Amino acid sequence: MFLKFHDLLPEDLKTKYFNFTSRESTDDEFCKEVLHQIDLSYTNCEYYRKNLCKKFDFTVPDELSIKSLETIPYIPTETYKKSGNRTLHLLKVPQEKIALYSCSSSTTGDPSIVPRTLEDFDQIQYNSIKVFTEFFKWEELKSGSKRGVVFNFSPDRLFMSIMARRSAEGFEYIDKTRYFTACMNKPWEFYGHEEYLVKMKWLKTIWAIISTFSLKGGFVLDVSKMLKIIRRILKTGYWKDTEASKVLFGGSPLLMNNMFEKRLLKENVFIDLDGKAIVGCGGGGWDGVKGEAKMATVNKSKFIESYEKVFNIKSTDIRDIYAFTEGPTLFGGHWSEKYQDFLLHCPNTSRIIVRDLENLDAVKEEEEGLLEVITPYGVNGSINQAVLVDDIVEQVSGSRCPECGYKGATFRILGRLKNAQGKSCSSLIDWIY
């Protein structure tokens, strides 16, 4: 039965962008590509034409500029929710052009499902390697015969496929549905040794299904194996056949924090990995909720302190990724002592607009609002070239990071609209479906 869970993507996407070269484009080229995607959406998608364009009183212009990006129609993330049954109405290409559907993990049982073409997944692979290179020292992990050893605080991609099928149950193309985060995890498997730390225990899983009608309780976080591997690397330089260049802790900060709070800090574990390890958080969960996992909110400052206390990893080697299923962009970030938070950076493949919570007008630097992400790259399958997210952010800078100098807008996550106001993007805006 496991044959049903293969990638359905070309083999070359496993390694295509490992020798990473950044693509450069001017603002004019970016805007021309955005306009092209808008035109395709208007021509090929009735929902876009009759709902979004009508709502925004929008007519496709002859040209776009960076300043006029804030006038184009944007779609809230909730439009892609399974319960709305709109996924197939948001296509801008024939259905047979869709390679896979990306699914978000969801505690509500109402995930987003986003259709994507092969070209879209090619772009996601590029976006992933770009973030890993710029923020996770990707190139340093491959040195001569040495490779990185990655501890991913996540189930492996096979079980994520099973979980995605469960999340998307009832969707017409469930066999072609995968978690979006699995696309981000995949490159590490072919760049070194990747150890997925969330393990399924079959007897516990069967009992959980019988007793609770869910998979909850069927997974364990294998911290013991992680410690065994780290100690072996420090002693011999190897884990199995992999000569280790560095150790990388990746994946859910919620599960990482659980590891510290429930075990390592209580047992006074200390392993000196100064200069030998990198932390690359990803997938969200800082608010205490991720997929079926519900835990205490993660205090980011204490989280940083835990890594230094247990592994002697400094804040300069701890990074974060922000992404969401409805868009293809990955935002890399570093820790800021000033803000006691991660500053996230907009790559040159995208532009962001921060919109006021009351009137949805674009705000200025150092103001907060809802995040809108615009990109013409990796959005061939659906009308998601401009997506409004229900995350509240502060725009730290509109042009360049004030701390590291990364070119592009810089922001930090403050919270979620639902948590802050008890409502969502679709209730804030009078959407007509």
Side-chain angles (χ1 to χ4, degrees):
M1 70 173 179
F2 290 151
L3 292 177
K4 293 182 179 180
F5 301 119
H6 62 74
D7 285 343
L8 300 177
L9 296 174
E11 285 290 314
D12 67 341
L13 279 188
K14 293 178 179 179
T15 59
K16 184 174 180 180
Y17 294 106
F18 280 10
N19 296 320
F20 178 76
T21 302
S22 182
R23 303 167 184 162
E24 302 299 328
S25 65
T26 64
D27 284 348
D28 287 343
E29 290 169 336
F30 180 90
C31 290
K32 286 179 182 178
E33 292 295 333
V34 172
L35 184 57
H36 175 64
Q37 292 295 342
I38 290 172
D39 189 55
L40 289 176
S41 299
Y42 189 90
T43 302
N44 298 335
C45 180
E46 182 179 1
Y47 182 94
Y48 187 85
R49 186 170 58 252
K50 291 188 176 181
N51 292 72
L52 262 68
C53 290
K54 182 179 178 180
K55 173 68 181 178
F56 284 82
D57 193 22
F58 180 81
T59 302
V60 180
D62 293 329
E63 59 183 27
L64 274 178
S65 66
I66 291 295
K67 289 185 178 181
S68 63
L69 288 177
E70 65 183 70
T71 67
I72 68 176
Y74 46 80
I75 187 167
T77 53
E78 289 203 359
T79 308
Y80 283 94
K81 293 297 183 183
K82 184 178 73 171
S83 62
N85 197 30
R86 286 183 292 269
T87 295
L88 300 182
H89 298 292
L90 307 177
L91 293 168
K92 67 169 78 150
V93 295
Q95 194 280 325
E96 57 267 24
K97 294 282 189 179
I98 301 302
L100 282 174
Y101 293 84
S102 294
C103 177
S104 64
S105 56
S106 174
T107 56
T108 64
D110 191 16
S112 291
I113 302 177
V114 182
R116 289 189 156 110
T117 66
L118 281 177
E119 292 80 7
D120 294 339
F121 282 101
D122 184 280
Q123 182 67 44
I124 290 171
Q125 174 83 338
Y126 170 88
N127 292 349
S128 299
I129 304 298
K130 178 178 173 66
V131 165
F132 300 154
T133 302
E134 294 175 343
F135 293 93
F136 292 0
K137 302 183 180 179
W138 172 266
E139 293 174 341
E140 293 183 22
L141 297 178
K142 189 176 182 180
S143 176
S145 60
K146 294 182 178 181
R147 299 292 183 269
V149 175
V150 181
F151 298 110
N152 198 322
F153 286 71
S154 165
D156 65 30
R157 288 191 297 117
L158 171 61
F159 287 120
M160 289 186 79
S161 295
I162 297 172
M163 293 165 68
R165 286 171 59 89
R166 178 173 170 271
S167 296
E169 186 177 1
F171 178 59
E172 184 175 354
Y173 296 99
I174 192 171
D175 287 343
K176 295 177 66 175
T177 302
R178 302 287 187 275
Y179 275 149
F180 179 61
T181 49
C183 301
M184 297 161 54
N185 292 340
K186 182 169 65 171
W188 297 102
E189 295 179 13
F190 306 96
Y191 205 69
H193 175 83
E194 182 165 22
E195 187 73 27
Y196 291 97
L197 294 182
V198 177
K199 308 289 179 65
M200 179 178 281
K201 299 297 182 181
W202 288 105
L203 291 178
K204 285 189 175 183
T205 300
I206 292 170
W207 175 247
I209 293 171
I210 293 172
S211 60
T212 67
F213 300 101
S214 77
L215 292 175
K216 190 173 183 180
F219 293 91
V220 296
L221 189 63
D222 199 349
V223 177
S224 295
K225 185 170 184 181
M226 181 197 77
L227 295 175
K228 176 184 176 181
I229 294 173
I230 291 173
R231 287 172 176 141
R232 179 67 60 83
I233 290 171
L234 291 177
K235 183 177 181 179
T236 69
Y238 283 82
W239 172 246
K240 295 183 177 180
D241 296 331
T242 302
E243 184 180 8
S245 56
K246 284 183 181 291
V247 167
L248 176 73
F249 299 90
S252 169
L254 185 61
L255 296 179
M256 293 180 187
N257 193 63
N258 182 262
M259 168 188 70
F260 289 122
E261 297 291 337
K262 299 297 184 182
R263 180 170 176 181
L264 300 187
L265 290 172
K266 288 183 177 181
E267 296 179 2
N268 292 316
V269 172
F270 176 75
I271 302 175
D272 190 356
L273 293 177
D274 183 29
K276 304 180 181 72
I278 307 163
V279 179
C281 305
W286 295 103
D287 59 356
V289 177
K290 183 61 182 175
E292 291 200 13
K294 293 184 180 180
M295 304 175 189
T297 300
V298 180
N299 181 297
K300 294 180 183 179
S301 298
K302 289 183 178 179
F303 179 85
I304 296 292
E305 291 172 3
S306 294
Y307 261 110
E308 182 161 10
K309 183 174 183 179
V310 174
F311 294 115
N312 197 23
I313 299 175
K314 307 300 190 296
S315 61
T316 51
D317 285 324
I318 302 176
R319 304 302 176 94
D320 191 23
I321 286 179
Y322 170 76
F324 53 93
T325 301
E326 297 82 3
T329 308
L330 283 73
F331 302 86
H334 59 76
W335 183 251
S336 167
E337 293 293 338
K338 174 183 176 180
Y339 289 94
Q340 289 294 290
D341 202 353
F342 288 99
L343 297 187
L344 297 159
H345 303 79
C346 184
N348 61 3
T349 57
S350 300
R351 302 292 187 274
I352 67 166
I353 296 171
V354 180
R355 294 191 174 275
D356 184 87
L357 290 172
E358 298 300 325
N359 56 29
L360 294 175
D361 289 341
V363 304
K364 299 176 182 179
E365 287 187 5
E366 300 183 356
E367 294 183 350
E368 64 183 59
L370 293 176
L371 178 67
E372 178 189 351
V373 180
I374 300 172
T375 182
Y377 310 114
V379 293
N380 295 290
S382 188
I383 58 174
N384 55 337
Q385 60 269 355
V387 178
L388 186 68
V389 190
D390 59 357
D391 284 322
I392 302 172
V393 306
E394 176 190 354
Q395 182 167 250
V396 175
S397 170
S399 58
R400 188 180 295 272
C401 177
E403 295 189 3
C404 76
Y406 189 96
K407 187 178 179 180
T410 305
F411 64 98
R412 65 190 187 104
I413 307 292
L414 301 180
R416 302 204 72 181
L417 183 64
K418 288 181 181 179
N419 296 338
Q421 298 188 4
K423 56 186 177 182
S424 63
C425 284
S426 58
S427 61
L428 180 66
I429 309 164
D430 182 23
W431 291 102
I432 303 172
Y433 292 120

